[in-house]
Amino acid sequence: MLAIIGGSGLTQLSNLNITRRQVVRTPYGEPSGALTFGTIEGREVVFLARHGYGHTIPPHEVNYRANIWALHAENALDVVSIASVGGIRADLVPGTLALPDQIIDYTHGRDQTFSDQTYRSVTHIDFTYPYSDAMRKRLHRAAATAGVPLVDGGTYAATQGPRLETAAEINRLERDGADMVGMTGMPEAALARELGLSYAAVAVVVNYAAGRGASAAGVRLEEINAVSQAAMARVRKVLDSLLILDAD
Ligand code: HPA
C-alpha cells in the first residue's frame, strides 16, 4: 500500500474516498494524527498530515518516529512525502515541483533513529542514496504522464526551523551543494530507510530562499500560501497519475 505524508498546504487529499480513520499507537508515542485510509483511482492509500490536521505541529516537534512506525505497522510499503521548500538553485523558482535525489541534514535534537532501547535490530543503514530510486522513477513517470513538469534531482538541505534561514546561511547551504531548503526531510527519510520503506519526496518550491530572487529583502510569508495552493493542485495530479500507473 502507498502512504502519502502531506506537508504544509496538503493536510488532506480532496480526491481520497475515505474508508476509515485510525488512531495508531506506537512505542514512540502518537503520530501527528489519525491515519486516513481510502482509495484514489481504486487503489488503497493511507494519508497522514505531517503537521497534524489543524497544522499545529511545527517541524522540530513532529514525532517522525511515530509517523513512520505507524505507516509501517499499517502495512505501507511505499511512502511519498510532500514537502515545501525554499528554492536556492536559480531554476527552482516558486511553483516548481522537484524530485530531490540527495539530502544534507542540518537538523539537531530530533529523535532520528529506531536503533535505541525499544527496538535494537537496526544499527547502521546504507544511506548513500537517501531516496528510493524505484519510487523516484515511478513519480517521474507519473508526472510525465500527467503532463506536470517535475525537476529531476537536486540536493535537499534539512534545516532545524521553525525560523527561516539568514541570507548567509543560504549562501553556506549553496556552497555545501544544496539546491533547496526545507525543515522536515530529516529524520523522516532515514527512519523510512531503517524500516525498509521505499521512500521519495516531491519538493514543492513555495518561495525563493532567504536573500535570493524576490526574497532579496526578506521572505514574504504572506505570498507562500497562494503559490502553495496552486502547486498542490499539480501535486494531486501527480499522485492520481501515480496510482493509475500502479494499477496497470
Ligand atoms: N526554508 C526552510 N524551509 C522552508 C522554506 C525555506 O525557505 N520554505 C518552505 N519551507
Side-chain angles (χ1 to χ4, degrees):
M1 179 176 46
L2 178 73
I4 297 167
I5 303 179
S8 305
L10 196 78
T11 52
Q12 54 185 16
L13 289 176
S14 50
N15 41 0
L16 183 69
N17 302 304
I18 297 171
T19 48
R20 67 191 165 100
R21 285 206 169 84
Q22 190 169 330
V23 175
V24 180
R25 299 193 196 290
T26 82
Y28 302 96
E30 300 228 345
S32 299
L35 303 189
T36 306
F37 293 83
T39 56
I40 298 179
E41 303 291 344
R43 301 271 305 179
E44 224 201 336
V45 176
V46 54
F47 179 81
L48 176 62
R50 183 185 289 115
H51 300 284
Y53 291 93
H55 204 285
T56 50
I57 311 170
H60 61 294
E61 286 178 359
V62 169
N63 190 340
Y64 295 96
R65 290 198 300 184
N67 287 353
I68 294 295
W69 186 273
L71 295 174
H72 178 255
E74 292 299 316
N75 300 318
L77 296 176
D78 303 322
V79 181
V80 175
S81 152
I82 312 300
S84 297
V85 297
I88 300 177
R89 206 172 71 200
D91 63 315
L92 297 181
V93 300
T96 306
L97 305 187
L99 200 51
D101 59 0
Q102 277 297 332
I103 298 175
I104 305 176
D105 186 10
Y106 300 91
T107 65
H108 48 86
R110 302 184 181 187
D111 290 324
Q112 50 163 341
T113 180
F114 293 113
S115 204
D116 65 359
Q117 282 92 341
T118 320
Y119 179 76
R120 282 198 176 277
S121 68
V122 182
T123 328
H124 300 293
I125 50 163
D126 172 49
F127 206 46
T128 313
Y129 300 101
Y131 299 107
S132 153
D133 193 42
M135 194 69 233
R136 291 186 70 259
K137 286 201 172 98
R138 279 162 65 191
L139 281 162
H140 193 254
R141 215 173 122 224
T145 307
V148 174
L150 179 62
V151 175
D152 192 8
T155 298
Y156 176 108
T159 56
Q160 177 68 0
R163 66 165 177 86
L164 296 173
E165 298 71 34
T166 66
E169 284 169 339
I170 293 300
N171 290 338
R172 173 196 169 205
L173 296 185
E174 184 172 53
R175 285 195 300 275
D176 283 356
D179 300 306
M180 62 194 92
V181 55
M183 299 173 189
T184 56
M186 286 292 285
E188 196 174 86
L191 292 165
R193 178 64 56 84
E194 282 193 357
L195 295 188
L197 300 171
S198 186
Y199 177 99
V202 176
V204 181
V205 183
V206 294
N207 58 280
Y208 286 98
R212 301 295 165 99
S215 300
V219 179
R220 286 199 294 271
L221 295 169
E222 61 282 4
E223 288 175 15
I224 287 181
N225 212 4
V227 175
S228 172
Q229 270 184 23
M232 289 306 166
R234 278 178 282 125
V235 169
R236 289 189 170 96
K237 278 193 193 167
V238 175
L239 294 174
D240 282 354
S241 168
L242 177 72
L243 288 155
I244 292 169
L245 287 177
D246 282 354
D248 288 347

